[in-house]
Amino acid sequence: MPLIEFTDKGLYCRTGQFYIDPWKPVDKAIITHAHSDHARPGSKSYLCHTQCEPLLRLRLGDNRYQTVEWEESVLINGVAVSLHPAGHMIGSSQVRVECNGEVWVISGDYKIEDDGLSGKFEPVRCNTFVTESTFGLPVYNWKPQHEIFQNIKDWVCKNKEAGKTSVFIAYSLGKAQRLLQCLPETGLPIFVHGAIWNAHEAITRSGFPLPAVNRVSYDTPKESYLGNIVIAPSGAEASPWIKKFVPYAVGICSGWMQVRGNVRRRNADAGFALSDHADWKGLLQAIKETGAQKVFVTHGFQSVLARYLNETGIEAAEVKTEFGNEIEENSEAIAKEQEQTNNQ
Amino acid sequence: MRLFADLVSTLGTSTKTNEKLQALSDYFATSNDKDKVWVIAIFSGRRPKRVVNSTQLWTWCNELAKLPDWLFEESYHVVGDLAETIALLLPEAANTNASFPLHHYLETLISIEKENEMVRKNFILDSWNSMTQTERFVFNKLITGNFRIGVSQKTMVNALSKTVQLDASVIAHRISGNWDPAATSFESLLSEHAVSADYSKPYPFYLAYALEEDVHSLGAPDEWQAEWKWDGIRGQIIKRNDELFVWSRGEELMTEKFPEYHNLKDHLPDGLVLDGEIIPSQGGRPLPFSLLQTRIGRKNITKKQLQETPITFFAYDLLEYEGNDMREKSLADRRELLENIVNEAKHPALLLSPVITFSTWEELTALREKSREMGSEGIMLKRKNSAYQVGRKRGDWWKWKIDPLVIDAVMIYAQKGHGRRSNLYTDYTFAVRDGENLVSFAKAYSGLTDKEFAQVDQFVKRNSLEKFGPVRTVKPELVFEIAFEGIAASNRHKSGVALRFPRINRWRQDKTVAEINTLEDLKKMLEIYGK
Ligand SMILES: [Zn+2]
Ligand SMILES: [Zn+2]
C-alpha cells in the first residue's frame, strides 16, 4: 500500500487517516492553499498554514482550523506532516508526508520565482513528488516579475494619457495582491471589485500589510475612476458591471496571456503573462531538486509533462484530479456583485 | 525590425480603427523610407515569396530548443499558430538589441531565394539570434507568408495620407497596380510620375454603402439609375499601350486566369478602363457564385468547364476613355459612352449590366422582390449626375440588397475551427424539426462574435453526447437564426434542400428547441424561391 493513494475524494494517507486538498467532505483535510479548487467546504477539520487560515475562513466560514508554521512537524496517527512554502499565493504550502523513512511531497500549486509576498518556494527532498502542471508546456516561459511590473506600469501611464481607466482582470486571491506591489508606484488611486475587497480585508485583518485600496461601490462618482486603476476578478470583463468605467482599457493578468490568441479571444486590450504557477523550466527545475525517484503529475498538462519526464529518465505517471477549476468561484462572485449593484 | 514589430503588436491588440490609424501614421512618421515602402507593400497584400517552408522553420527551431518533435506538436496544437509557437519555443537570443531594419530582412530573403539550404538556414538562425520574442513572431509571420494584421488597406492609405499630406484617393491610386517594393523608393512610389509609368494600374474602386433608410429618402426617382446588384468579383478591364489587364478589387491580376478574356483586347479601343463584375453567365443570365468558385485558382480548364461556366464581364462604368480620366464626368455621360463601346465590341465575354427602368419607388420596390429570379442580390442605386469617387462613400451610390432568407434551427454537431480558432468549436451543423426527429440541413461557421464563439465552445465541451473523429454530437439546445441567399432541391442532403451561403445571423438565446422551424417550412421556401 503506497503512503498516499489517489481516491475519488482526493489524495489520501491511509496510515495517517487524512486527505490533502480533498474535493469531497472528509474528517481531516490538509489544505495547501485557499483557492477554490483546493479548499472545499464540508470537512470536519482543516489543517493549514497560519497565513492561509483567514482566507480559508473567508471562503469556507467557521470550521475547526488547526494552523502550523512552515517546517513545523506535526504527528498525525504516526505520520509526520509538515508544510513548506510553495510561493503560489499568501499562505500557500507544499505538504511533506513522512512515514517509516518514506517521504512524499505534494506540491499543491507552486511557482519558483519569489514574488515578495507568498514566501519563497523551497525544494523539499523526497522519494515521491506529486506535482502540478498547469503550465506544463515549453511555450510557457515567464519573464521576471520586475519586467512584467514595468510593462504594467507603462500601460497604466499610456491609458492615463489617453484618458482611459485601466481595468485589470486578476484572481481575487493571489494575483490581485501581487498587482498591489507595483500599482501604487504609479501614484494613482486604486479601486477594487467587492470580491477582491473581501480578500483584501481578510488579509490585512490578519496583520499582513497591503497597500490601501478603495472599494468600487454604487455611490462612487463615475469621474473618480477616470484615468485611474480598477482591479476586478476574471469574468468581470464580460459582465455589465464593467460599463461604469467607460472609457476603459482591459488588461488581463494570467499566464494564459502568454499566447496571443487568448488575449484576442477574451477581447482584452492587453495581456500580461503574470502567473502564480511555475513555467515549464520552473517545473523541471523543481522536480529535479526534489530528487524524487517517482513523480505523479496532476492539474494541467499531465500527459505532456509525464511523457517528457519519462523520456528524460525520471519515472512519472499522470493522475487525474479535480484541481484547476478556479473560474467558477469567480463567476459566482461577479454575479453576486452585479446583483448587489442592481439592488442598490 | 523593432519598430515594425511594435506596430504589428499595437495593431493586433487595438480594436478601434482610430487607434490603428494613429499607430500607422506614427510609424510612417518615424520609420525609414525603405521600410515604409515594404510596409505599404505588405499591408496591400504584396508578400515576399516564401524561401523557407514551415517544416524547415520548425526543424531548425527544435534543434535550437532541443525539444522532441512531439512536444513541438503539442505546443503548436495549444498555440494554434506556427510563427508564434516558434517564437515562444526558441531559446532567448544572445543579443536582443541587434536587429536590423525591416527591409534588410525582406531584401535578404529575396536575395537568398536561389541559395542552398545552409545559406538560408544560417540567415534564419542569425536573424532569430538578434531578435526579441515579438520581433521573432513578426519575422516568422513574414516568412511563412500568412500575415493577417487586422488592418484594412483603406486604414493604411488614410494613415499614409495623414503623414505625407496627400489625398487618400491619390495615394490609393499610386500604390495600386504592379510594383516591386525592393526596386521602388518611397518618393517614386508616391510621385505623379510613377502612375503614368505603370500603365497597368487600375483606379481605386468606388464602393457603395448599404441603404438602410427608406428608399423614398433618396428624393426624386428620375435622378437615379438602378441596376441589378451582381454577386461576382468586382473588377476593372484596362486596355493601355495595346495591352489588356483585368484586375479584381482585391488587386489581383486576373487577365491570365480566364481565357475568355484573352482576345478581348482586339475588340476594344486603346486608353480604356471599364468597371464591372467578373461573373459566369449563360445567355445573359448570371450563374451562381459557387460556379465561379469552381473556376478560380484553376490553371487547367477543361472544354466542358468553358462551356458550362463561361466567365463574362458585366460592365457598368467607364473610368477612362481615349486615355482621359472620365471619373469627374457624370454617370449619365459615362453610361452613354459605355453602351456604345460595349455594343461596338461585340464580344461574347463583354456584356452590359442592364439599367432597370422604373418611374416610382413603389415600382422599383416591387421589381426588387424579383432580384433572386434575376440571379442578383438586390439593386444598386446610383445618382445620375454623380462623379466616380474613391473608396466607400455615402450619398451617390447605394446597394439595396434583398433581405436574406432566414430560418431558426438547432445546433446538433460541432467541429473545431482552423487557424486562430483551432482550439474552439466553431464549425456547426444545424437541424430543423421533422415531427419528433431533427433533420440536419446546413453547416455554418461564421456570424458569431469571438465572445459568442467562446460561449458556444464552452457549451459544446460540456454537452457532448458522442465523438466521431473531430466531430462532436451536441445536446440539441442552442437555437440560431440561419440566414441564406438561396435554396435549391438536392438529393445529396438528407433534408432534400441545399442552401446558398448559409451563415449564422444571430444566436436566438430567447428561443428553445421546441420553437425552431420545421422541414415543412424549408420545403415551402423551396417551392417559393427554389427556381
Ligand atoms: Zn491555486
Ligand atoms: Zn489549483
Side-chain angles (χ1 to χ4, degrees):
Chain A
M1 187 65 59
L3 184 53
I4 303 284
E5 298 164 48
F6 301 100
T7 74
D8 58 354
K9 287 180 181 165
L11 278 62
Y12 180 51
C13 176
R14 193 170 295 276
T15 320
Q17 291 176 37
F18 59 82
Y19 285 82
I20 296 158
D21 291 352
W23 43 83
K24 288 191 179 135
V26 299
D27 286 343
K28 185 154 193 67
I30 295 171
I31 301 298
T32 59
H33 66 290
H35 278 150
S36 62
D37 54 328
H38 297 261
R40 311 244 177 155
S43 289
K44 288 194 184 126
S45 77
Y46 294 90
L47 179 112
C48 65
H49 185 259
T50 329
Q51 289 172 351
C52 176
E53 191 248 10
L55 297 172
L56 275 193
R57 216 174 265 284
L58 169 73
R59 289 220 33 258
L60 308 179
D62 282 336
N63 284 295
R64 277 180 53 201
Y65 294 109
Q66 182 191 353
T67 62
V68 289
E69 296 299 328
W70 283 318
E71 330 255 327
E72 176 188 341
S73 189
V74 256
L75 215 55
I76 306 175
N77 300 320
V79 179
V81 176
S82 56
L83 302 185
H84 303 261
H88 174 59
M89 60 172 282
I90 294 174
S92 67
S93 307
Q94 309 174 69
V95 182
R96 181 185 184 276
V97 179
E98 182 180 359
C99 185
N100 298 332
E102 188 189 354
V103 179
W104 282 57
V105 169
I106 289 86
S107 78
D109 292 346
Y110 66 98
K111 73 168 171 289
I112 307 303
E113 191 186 23
D114 183 359
D115 64 8
L117 202 63
S118 315
K120 186 170 169 21
F121 174 87
E122 174 200 308
V124 182
R125 304 285 297 181
C126 56
N127 305 100
T128 309
F129 186 47
V130 181
T131 180
E132 65 135 320
S133 61
T134 311
F135 291 105
L137 260 192
V139 293
Y140 299 110
N141 264 309
W142 313 141
K143 294 215 165 70
Q145 173 169 284
H146 66 88
E147 240 175 77
I148 303 174
F149 279 175
Q150 193 55 52
N151 293 342
I152 287 177
K153 286 183 284 184
D154 292 347
W155 185 72
V156 170
C157 292
K158 208 185 84 194
N159 292 333
K160 170 98 184 155
E161 269 169 39
K164 288 186 202 167
T165 304
S166 303
V167 180
F168 288 96
I169 302 299
Y171 282 153
S172 45
L173 278 185
K175 205 69 61 65
Q177 290 81 43
R178 265 181 94 185
L179 277 177
L180 289 181
Q181 291 175 278
C182 79
L183 290 176
E185 287 168 29
T186 62
L188 301 173
I190 299 164
F191 295 85
V192 299
H193 182 278
I196 294 171
W197 174 261
N198 293 340
H200 194 89
E201 287 285 276
I203 294 167
T204 47
R205 252 201 320 266
S206 73
F208 200 106
L210 285 177
V213 295
N214 312 285
R215 183 182 183 156
V216 172
S217 75
Y218 71 101
D219 56 1
T220 317
K222 269 191 161 185
E223 308 80 68
S224 42
Y225 301 124
L226 194 67
N228 296 327
I229 298 167
V230 174
I231 311 177
S234 164
E237 79 275 18
S239 82
W241 178 85
I242 199 172
K243 296 230 168 79
K244 62 177 107 207
F245 308 115
V246 173
Y248 61 83
V250 174
I252 300 181
C253 304
S254 154
W256 301 112
M257 296 300 118
Q258 178 91 340
V259 172
R260 290 162 172 270
N262 291 331
V263 183
R264 259 193 321 252
R265 267 191 282 280
R266 290 188 55 185
N267 252 323
D269 299 293
F272 300 102
L274 181 71
S275 176
D276 283 326
H277 294 270
D279 62 5
W280 173 256
K281 287 189 184 127
L283 290 167
L284 297 180
Q285 182 197 327
I287 290 164
K288 229 169 258 162
E289 285 178 358
T290 62
Q293 293 97 48
K294 167 98 197 188
V295 176
F296 288 103
V297 188
T298 71
H299 199 308
F301 287 99
Q302 297 96 301
S303 60
V304 173
L305 184 56
R307 177 170 173 190
Y308 185 79
L309 290 174
N310 280 317
E311 285 184 9
T312 50
I314 298 173
E315 193 193 335
E318 44 179 307
V319 182
K320 242 181 123 54
T321 57
E322 290 185 16
F323 303 135
N325 288 316
E326 202 83 59
I327 294 154
E328 279 158 30
E329 173 199 28
N330 280 315
S331 55
E332 261 169 50
I334 286 153
K336 244 192 260 162
E337 188 76 0
Q338 183 66 41
E339 237 169 66
Q340 278 174 16
T341 324
N342 287 347
N343 291 342
Q344 278 155 353
Chain B
M1 195 71 170
R2 182 71 59 90
L3 261 183
F4 182 64
D6 287 347
L7 172 68
V8 172
S9 292
T10 314
L11 295 176
T13 49
S14 83
T15 43
K16 293 173 193 81
T17 312
N18 259 346
E19 288 173 10
K20 293 184 182 182
L21 194 73
Q22 191 57 47
L24 274 163
S25 53
D26 287 352
Y27 179 84
F28 284 129
T30 48
S31 154
N32 71 68
D33 281 1
K34 285 194 111 179
D35 281 6
K36 283 187 233 175
V37 171
W38 272 106
V39 168
I40 295 168
I42 292 162
F43 287 19
S44 59
R46 293 169 177 82
R47 306 286 148 76
K49 228 187 193 168
R50 264 188 193 223
V51 300
V52 169
N53 63 36
S54 313
T55 316
Q56 288 170 315
L57 273 190
W58 73 256
T59 311
W60 299 338
C61 165
N62 274 5
E63 282 174 27
L64 293 174
K66 302 189 178 67
L67 292 174
D69 285 353
W70 68 265
L71 193 49
F72 183 91
E73 270 165 42
E74 289 281 353
S75 301
Y76 174 51
H77 185 75
V78 166
V79 175
D81 180 285
L82 187 84
E84 188 178 358
T85 310
I86 291 173
L88 289 169
L89 289 179
L90 284 170
E92 198 154 325
N95 183 356
T96 53
N97 264 324
S99 71
F100 294 99
L102 173 68
H103 70 267
H104 165 85
Y105 294 104
L106 291 163
E107 280 160 25
T108 313
L109 274 175
I110 296 170
S111 74
I112 57 170
E113 190 191 329
K114 301 216 159 57
E115 301 285 347
N116 63 38
E117 182 166 323
M118 257 335 270
V119 174
R120 283 179 282 159
K121 177 176 175 181
N122 282 337
F123 169 65
I124 302 290
L125 265 50
D126 285 347
S127 304
W128 279 340
N129 209 21
S130 63
M131 289 178 177
T132 63
Q133 198 175 76
T134 316
E135 287 178 306
R136 284 167 169 179
F137 164 68
V138 171
F139 178 66
N140 294 345
K141 275 288 190 196
L142 285 169
I143 297 174
T144 51
N146 50 1
F147 205 35
R148 246 171 257 136
I149 323 100
V151 80
S152 67
Q153 182 168 336
K154 189 176 159 185
T155 309
M156 186 270 286
V157 167
N158 286 341
L160 198 53
S161 148
K162 213 169 140 185
T163 319
V164 300
Q165 308 277 318
L166 261 177
D167 213 49
S169 58
V170 174
I171 294 178
H173 189 197
R174 290 186 187 166
I175 65 164
S176 60
N178 244 340
W179 53 276
D180 174 8
T184 311
S185 75
F186 186 64
E187 258 152 55
S188 70
L189 177 63
L190 292 178
S191 74
E192 201 129 9
H193 175 74
V195 176
S196 46
D198 179 7
Y199 52 83
S200 78
K201 271 194 175 140
Y203 290 96
F205 287 87
Y206 181 16
L207 306 170
Y209 271 99
L211 181 67
E212 275 151 10
E213 313 265 296
D214 187 323
V215 70
H216 288 88
S217 67
L218 296 181
D222 62 358
E223 286 175 15
W224 293 86
Q225 170 177 314
E227 299 160 29
W228 298 111
K229 184 182 182 320
W230 306 117
D231 182 18
I233 298 171
R234 182 83 179 272
Q236 281 179 34
I237 290 185
I238 295 172
K239 186 183 169 190
R240 289 183 191 131
N241 287 13
D242 213 27
E243 263 190 84
L244 188 88
F245 307 92
V246 182
W247 288 94
S248 76
R249 204 189 113 200
E251 287 210 9
E252 210 182 334
L253 205 48
M254 312 284 261
T255 329
E256 302 302 317
K257 298 201 166 154
F258 303 120
E260 286 91 339
Y261 294 152
H262 288 177
N263 65 350
L264 197 53
K265 188 181 82 173
D266 307 327
H267 295 249
L268 295 171
D270 207 51
L272 181 86
V273 179
L274 304 178
D275 180 17
E277 202 86 4
I278 299 166
I279 192 167
S281 73
Q282 203 64 277
R285 197 181 186 287
L287 300 168
F289 191 78
S290 50
L291 289 175
L292 176 58
Q293 283 173 321
T294 64
R295 290 282 311 268
I296 296 173
R298 284 273 164 83
K299 283 228 173 83
N300 304 314
I301 296 149
T302 62
K303 227 182 180 148
K304 192 163 163 255
Q305 280 177 311
L306 277 176
Q307 268 165 9
E308 284 180 356
T309 323
I311 301 294
T312 52
F313 189 85
F314 280 26
Y316 38 68
D317 217 322
L318 174 72
L319 310 187
E320 187 175 305
Y321 181 61
E322 295 180 334
N324 298 314
D325 185 344
M326 302 292 285
R327 294 178 297 164
E328 288 301 317
K329 296 252 184 310
S330 74
L331 170 64
D333 290 351
R334 300 199 307 271
R335 176 80 197 187
E336 203 183 314
L337 269 171
L338 172 74
E339 291 187 2
N340 289 339
I341 292 161
V342 174
N343 289 335
E344 268 167 39
K346 289 199 191 62
H347 189 280
L350 182 63
L351 303 161
L352 265 176
S353 177
V355 164
I356 307 170
T357 43
F358 70 103
S359 47
T360 64
W361 290 127
E362 285 69 28
E363 195 184 335
L364 189 64
T365 308
L367 283 166
R368 176 169 162 266
E369 294 302 313
K370 299 208 168 85
S371 298
R372 274 199 185 91
E373 292 166 33
M374 295 298 300
S376 95
E377 348 173 69
I379 282 174
M380 288 298 303
L381 285 163
K382 300 174 181 173
R383 204 184 285 277
K384 284 179 184 165
N385 65 6
S386 65
Y388 188 95
Q389 304 184 56
V390 168
R392 205 176 288 282
K393 297 271 160 61
R394 290 180 192 280
D396 291 335
W397 278 29
W398 298 100
K399 50 184 180 195
W400 193 24
K401 288 221 242 181
I402 34 174
D403 300 327
L405 302 165
V406 295
I407 199 147
D408 289 331
V410 67
M411 175 177 63
I412 54 169
Y413 306 121
Q415 200 174 340
K416 285 195 177 172
H418 300 280
R420 75 180 179 100
R421 292 194 169 137
S422 58
N423 265 329
L424 293 176
Y425 285 93
T426 57
D427 300 1
Y428 314 128
T429 302
F430 299 95
V432 285
R433 259 183 323 115
D434 181 25
E436 291 298 295
N437 301 322
L438 291 172
V439 184
S440 69
F441 71 102
K443 261 190 166 187
Y445 13 77
S446 62
L448 294 183
T449 63
D450 280 5
K451 210 169 107 189
E452 287 172 325
F453 272 128
Q455 284 174 305
V456 176
D457 175 71
Q458 279 300 313
F459 175 87
V460 171
K461 283 171 183 159
R462 292 199 183 125
N463 293 280
S464 297
L465 305 173
E466 289 166 294
K467 263 191 205 175
F468 298 103
V471 180
R472 293 212 191 176
T473 311
V474 184
K475 192 168 149 205
E477 196 176 299
L478 302 189
V479 177
F480 296 87
E481 183 177 275
I482 307 301
F484 49 100
E485 298 302 326
I487 182 167
S490 158
N491 44 24
R492 279 192 311 136
H493 294 79
K494 229 196 270 172
S495 60
V497 298
L499 305 186
R500 233 176 112 216
F501 301 139
R503 60 198 182 268
I504 304 169
N505 220 24
R506 58 192 166 130
W507 185 356
R508 297 295 307 250
Q509 303 201 30
D510 55 323
K511 285 204 168 181
T512 68
V513 66
E515 296 168 274
I516 63 172
N517 283 101
T518 60
L519 189 59
E520 194 64 18
D521 297 333
L522 265 183
K523 291 204 164 134
K524 253 183 228 151
M525 284 178 152
L526 179 64
E527 231 167 80
I528 303 169
Y529 304 111
K531 305 274 144 52

